[in-house]
Amino acid sequence: MDHNDYKSPSFKKLLDSLQQQSWELELIISGFAIFGLFTAYEPLRIEMVNAENEEHIYRFVAYFILHIASSILLFNLLLHVILRGLWIGALGLRYVSGDIEFEKLRYSELFTNYLKKRIISFDRYIANLENYCSVLFAISFLLIFYVLAMTMVIISIVLVASFIIQGEWLPEQLGSILGSILIIFIIIGMFLTFIDFLTQGLLKRNKWVSKIYFPIYWVFSFLTLSFLYRPLVYNFLDHRFGKRLTLFLAPIYLVILIITSLEYRHSNYLEKDLNSSSIIANKENYKDMLIKDGDFPGEMVISSKVITKPYLNIFVPFSEHIEERIFIFNDSLKPKKDRRGLTSGINMTTNWSDEITSAQQKDSIRKIYLKTFNDIYSFEIDTLKMDGDFILTTGFNNKLGFETFLKISDLEEGKHTLKLKRKRKEKGEIVTLTESVVPFWKFND
């Protein structure tokens, strides 16, 4: 008989043996996982903030989910290692001291009876620790699947909106109707699945409700990839101890979220992250102060607070908002098909002449794009108006943006205020707004 046959006595004996020694595997996996998570935690946070600053919604969602999953897994595994350490210590103490002998403590009858009732025996304490460790280790990875399930649902909504409602492969009206129906189905299914999860299977108990819910459950079993971890879920649900631990951990995560969001305010009026103005200088606007990987540029960046050269270097980071503004001012630049968002770098085209023509057209369009940007944006130093001749660059920390240089040799020494001005269309009229304000000091060498 095959020893991997789950019905065979030999396979059951093997599982029982592995079950007794599983704590060794748990500690090994936890150790490697904790090391890897600590290594990846900060880079994931930086990439998440970077995507948020650059307004890359897809990257932000991906890194946000990874960051949340890493935080949950790191907390659970650290707690698991602590409890396993306590369990191993308890086993060692049991070998030396045996069970608890309350009579030798010579406490009063009140305390002796109370402690006997609460503790019962040292072996029971060890057994409870073993249960907590095993269940916590399993639930740590189950929670990651829950995060993955939530991600898959969100991605499904985005894909329906992108490829059916906004896609061009279906007639516009048909795409809107079909896409709306699918999104409503996904949202209702997500809500019912969440209710069923919170109530631990309430919608599966009633005969008639379960018939209505079953098609939704079947679809979402594939949508949330639950077929990968379904046996683990139902093994928890049919075990009282597992359900209690799951309900116990949920408020702990909420408390941790609240605690990590707390901050101490030192002033009623002053904060470290105030935007730059004529009286405030935020480091996000000065290139020489952006020295760490987690430092991200503001809407306008100059080289330093103190300028000793006859020119001022200015960098404006690119964002999707800038492209939308350019489209508003120049309709001819707006493509028939918006190629922003997720895309593949694989090119299946083999017609090189078409590729060369396309590249030349794009180069010509980029010049118009840049000219429109220069028409929209200008500068003002104190009250002196100045036009900047921007070019496209990736020189600043490998970030895409627009760069220019302003001649400031005629400026007097002392404090000055640089303002980035932007044109905006409002009700058919063009108005000029102040996009960003950065103070600096000019001194001659």
Side-chain angles (χ1 to χ4, degrees):
M1 185 177 289
D2 188 359
H3 69 281
N4 284 329
D5 181 6
Y6 71 95
K7 293 182 180 180
S8 68
S10 60
F11 187 73
K12 293 183 183 295
K13 186 177 180 180
L14 175 64
L15 289 181
D16 290 338
S17 175
L18 291 174
Q19 182 178 309
Q20 296 298 322
Q21 303 299 323
S22 64
W23 66 272
E24 297 175 351
L25 295 174
E26 289 177 14
L27 284 176
I28 292 172
I29 293 173
S30 293
F32 279 108
I34 289 171
F35 175 77
L37 289 168
F38 267 121
T39 304
Y41 186 84
E42 187 62 17
L44 285 175
R45 188 194 67 82
I46 291 173
E47 288 297 330
M48 181 185 71
V49 177
N50 189 15
E52 182 182 11
N53 277 270
E54 294 179 356
E55 299 176 358
H56 292 168
I57 184 64
Y58 297 106
R59 278 179 55 208
F60 172 75
V61 170
Y63 282 113
F64 176 75
I65 296 298
L66 287 173
H67 189 257
I68 292 295
S70 299
S71 302
I72 292 173
L73 192 56
L74 187 59
F75 170 78
N76 280 7
L77 292 180
L78 284 172
L79 183 59
H80 169 260
V81 169
I82 292 171
L83 290 179
R84 270 298 174 195
L86 185 61
W87 176 76
I88 293 172
L91 284 176
L93 185 60
R94 182 184 183 278
Y95 175 76
V96 174
S97 181
D99 209 340
I100 302 173
E101 299 179 19
F102 293 99
E103 290 75 15
K104 289 186 177 181
L105 297 175
R106 293 185 295 178
Y107 291 161
S108 67
E109 185 179 352
L110 174 64
F111 275 96
T112 300
N113 292 334
Y114 175 78
L115 291 174
K116 282 184 176 180
K117 183 178 179 181
R118 299 292 296 179
I119 298 176
I120 300 178
S121 73
F122 196 60
D123 287 355
R124 183 187 178 186
Y125 172 72
I126 294 175
N128 284 339
L129 278 177
E130 165 68 20
N131 289 335
Y132 276 112
C133 291
S134 298
V135 174
L136 183 61
F137 184 78
I139 206 172
S140 299
F141 294 94
L142 181 60
L143 287 171
I144 300 304
F145 279 112
Y146 285 154
V147 174
L148 180 62
M150 181 181 67
T151 306
M152 293 300 295
V153 172
I154 295 173
I155 290 175
S156 299
I157 294 174
V158 173
L159 290 177
V160 170
S162 300
F163 293 101
I164 296 182
I165 296 179
Q166 297 179 355
E168 297 181 355
W169 62 282
L170 286 175
E172 184 176 350
Q173 188 173 3
L174 178 61
S176 299
I177 295 173
L178 181 60
S180 300
I181 292 172
L182 287 174
I183 287 179
I184 292 171
F185 173 78
I186 293 173
I187 292 174
I188 293 175
M190 178 178 63
F191 176 74
L192 292 177
T193 304
F194 184 66
I195 294 296
D196 189 62
F197 167 74
L198 286 182
T199 57
Q200 298 181 347
L202 178 64
L203 300 181
K204 301 185 185 80
R205 293 169 189 163
N206 183 275
K207 179 180 178 180
W208 301 109
V209 174
S210 63
K211 286 184 178 181
I212 298 172
Y213 177 62
F214 181 77
I216 296 174
Y217 170 80
W218 186 83
V219 171
F220 270 76
S221 68
F222 291 97
L223 198 61
T224 61
L225 306 179
S226 66
F227 57 88
L228 296 174
Y229 53 90
R230 187 183 295 137
L232 198 61
V233 174
Y234 290 108
N235 211 321
F236 272 113
L237 294 178
D238 73 352
H239 191 266
R240 183 181 176 187
F241 186 81
K243 288 197 292 186
R244 283 169 53 192
L245 183 60
T246 305
L247 294 174
F248 176 73
L249 285 173
I252 289 181
Y253 294 142
L254 182 61
V255 170
I256 292 173
L257 180 63
I258 294 173
I259 291 174
T260 53
S261 66
L262 294 176
E263 60 179 19
Y264 185 83
R265 293 188 181 274
H266 299 277
S267 171
N268 288 299
Y269 306 104
L270 307 180
E271 296 178 25
K272 291 190 297 183
D273 296 327
L274 293 172
N275 292 329
S276 292
S277 66
S278 59
I279 59 171
I280 299 169
N282 192 310
K283 72 174 185 177
E284 68 177 9
N285 299 112
Y286 303 97
K287 184 177 179 180
D288 60 349
M289 298 182 71
L290 300 173
I291 54 178
K292 297 188 299 183
D293 289 338
D295 294 334
F296 300 100
E299 293 181 334
M300 176 173 60
V301 181
I302 62 176
S303 55
S304 177
K305 288 181 184 177
V306 178
I307 307 298
T308 58
K309 297 179 179 179
Y311 59 85
L312 183 63
N313 179 217
I314 302 172
F315 177 81
V316 177
F318 174 80
S319 69
E320 290 189 18
H321 287 317
I322 289 178
E323 186 148 305
E324 291 296 336
R325 292 163 188 163
I326 289 174
F327 289 164
I328 291 173
F329 272 82
N330 193 335
D331 293 337
S332 64
L333 288 171
K334 192 169 185 178
K336 294 180 180 179
K337 182 179 180 181
D338 198 331
R339 299 183 181 275
R340 289 177 292 183
L342 292 176
T343 185
S344 172
I346 300 174
N347 189 356
M348 304 300 292
T349 303
T350 57
N351 193 330
W352 298 108
S353 61
D354 289 345
E355 284 291 306
I356 294 171
T357 303
S358 178
Q360 291 173 344
Q361 290 174 345
K362 286 183 178 180
D363 188 56
S364 176
I365 292 172
R366 288 190 188 104
K367 291 179 181 178
I368 302 172
Y369 188 103
L370 200 56
K371 182 181 182 304
T372 306
F373 179 86
N374 280 299
D375 291 339
I376 296 173
Y377 289 89
S378 61
F379 298 100
E380 193 174 280
I381 298 180
D382 299 330
T383 57
L384 179 64
K385 295 183 179 180
M386 309 180 75
D387 292 326
D389 186 13
F390 281 99
I391 63 169
L392 195 65
T393 182
T394 54
F396 176 69
N397 286 352
N398 202 33
K399 296 186 183 302
L400 181 65
F402 305 89
E403 186 178 40
T404 190
F405 293 82
L406 297 182
K407 180 183 176 183
I408 57 171
S409 56
D410 296 334
L411 288 182
E412 296 181 357
E413 291 190 339
K415 178 187 173 185
H416 298 277
T417 302
L418 173 67
K419 297 177 183 178
L420 178 64
K421 313 292 284 188
R422 174 173 67 88
K423 294 179 181 177
R424 177 179 176 180
K425 286 186 177 181
E426 287 187 0
K427 299 178 180 179
E429 296 183 357
I430 296 178
V431 296
T432 302
L433 306 175
T434 300
E435 186 78 3
S436 182
V437 178
V438 179
F440 70 95
W441 284 259
K442 168 72 167 62
F443 294 104
N444 298 324
D445 285 332

